[in-house]
Amino acid sequence: MELAPGSFGPLDLFVSLNPTPRWSLRFGEQRVPFSRNWLIPESRLSFAERSFATEEFRYDYDIGVLATGLFLNEHIVGSFGIFNGAGRNAVGNDNVDPLFVARVNGTIGAITPLEEGDLARTRSPSLTLGGAATLDYVPAPDAYGFSSGEPVAPLPIVARDTNGNGRPDGVGVLQLEGDVSFRWRGLALDAEVYFRNERWADIGSGQPAASQFAPKSRFGGAFAQTSYFILPARLEAGARVSTAELSPLAVDGRKRPATSCVDLGNKPFPCELPFTDRRSELTFVVVGHWLGRGVQVTGMYSALRYETTNQALLPWSREQRFLVQTQAAF
């Protein structure tokens, strides 16, 4: 369950069937298994926040069915799912196409828990390689561009049926992911790369003259992080770098924070757009552990940079973030 300001509702709510020890079927609301880091429960994170690249490219919770198979004594795991495509707690669909996802990963060496860090101090080296793909059809957003006005001024999308088929326009989205994880004697290394291709068809050119735009179709992102237990099972230190190209398209019902934009006629209109088109991050973390991961005290520092083609036009482009968190999970 999630309890947050203004909202209370289920996150993981599903029925799991195991017809054989090797196969399982899960029906209900669950995490879409695209990013490996997104599949890690919050209670098993070492970094208090996931990388910005993960948050940009991952999918959220969604309602659907997921089939998973285990092979070679769980050293190979494959999954295929069909989801609603509208995001968490949405029983209706905002388009006519479902979200398809496929994921496979293989482990060389010991099987390790799905978590950040190597709390168990894995005795033999363990290497896991994985990959995932999604295919989705997302409704066109209310606006295109970036709320900073750089590099593309926010433009409202007025024409909603540019292909004349009687239905609101949509954007086809293909995403690919690759990941690697290594664990050995308290050392953890993790990295993921993301790629997204968006097919806007004639949505940009089909707008009125004042609102026409040429959408970008390809976006990429990546992160790499490492951590080590300075004191076995007690004190962990880590660092992370990440970068991501940001799309004005909200994927899988994950709405961005609402901002106020001004159109070319200086009229304000509501929009949900990123600040600018690229963002990078450098993060350092120190974590104290008690009772395994039962109690964690985390101190984290992040240096964030907002980037664009004309950096001089941004009113501000850097942010420093300090975070202290106490977490209890039993």
Side-chain angles (χ1 to χ4, degrees), residues 56-78:
E56 176 64 21
F57 287 91
R58 70 168 174 85
Y59 282 77
D60 200 62
Y61 289 88
D62 206 343
I63 297 174
V65 56
L66 180 69
T68 301
L70 308 176
F71 309 95
L72 298 180
N73 293 324
E74 301 186 16
H75 281 78
I76 296 179
V77 180

Side-chain angles (χ1 to χ4, degrees), residues 124-145:
S124 300
S126 175
L127 176 67
T128 299
L129 301 174
T134 60
L135 186 62
D136 197 10
Y137 186 77
V138 181
D142 295 327
Y144 186 90

Side-chain angles (χ1 to χ4, degrees), residues 242-325:
S242 72
T243 183
E245 296 175 302
L246 312 186
S247 168
L249 181 67
V251 177
D252 191 35
R254 293 189 291 108
K255 300 299 184 182
R256 302 178 185 277
T259 55
S260 179
C261 295
V262 178
D263 63 20
L264 297 180
N266 291 323
K267 295 182 179 179
F269 68 94
C271 57
E272 294 172 337
L273 299 174
F275 180 69
T276 189
D277 61 337
R278 292 191 304 276
R279 191 174 178 184
S280 58
E281 165 203 5
L282 174 63
T283 293
F284 300 95
V285 68
V286 177
V287 189
H289 297 263
W290 292 269
L291 302 176
R293 290 188 178 271
V295 178
Q296 295 182 189
V297 177
T298 304
M300 194 170 86
Y301 164 76
S302 296
L304 307 179
R305 177 178 171 85
Y306 300 81
E307 306 172 63
T308 188
T309 52
N310 194 342
Q311 201 72 25
L313 295 181
L314 287 182
W316 54 271
S317 61
R318 297 180 184 272
E319 176 185 348
Q320 297 188 71
R321 181 178 297 172
F322 298 88
L323 187 149
V324 177
Q325 174 179 282

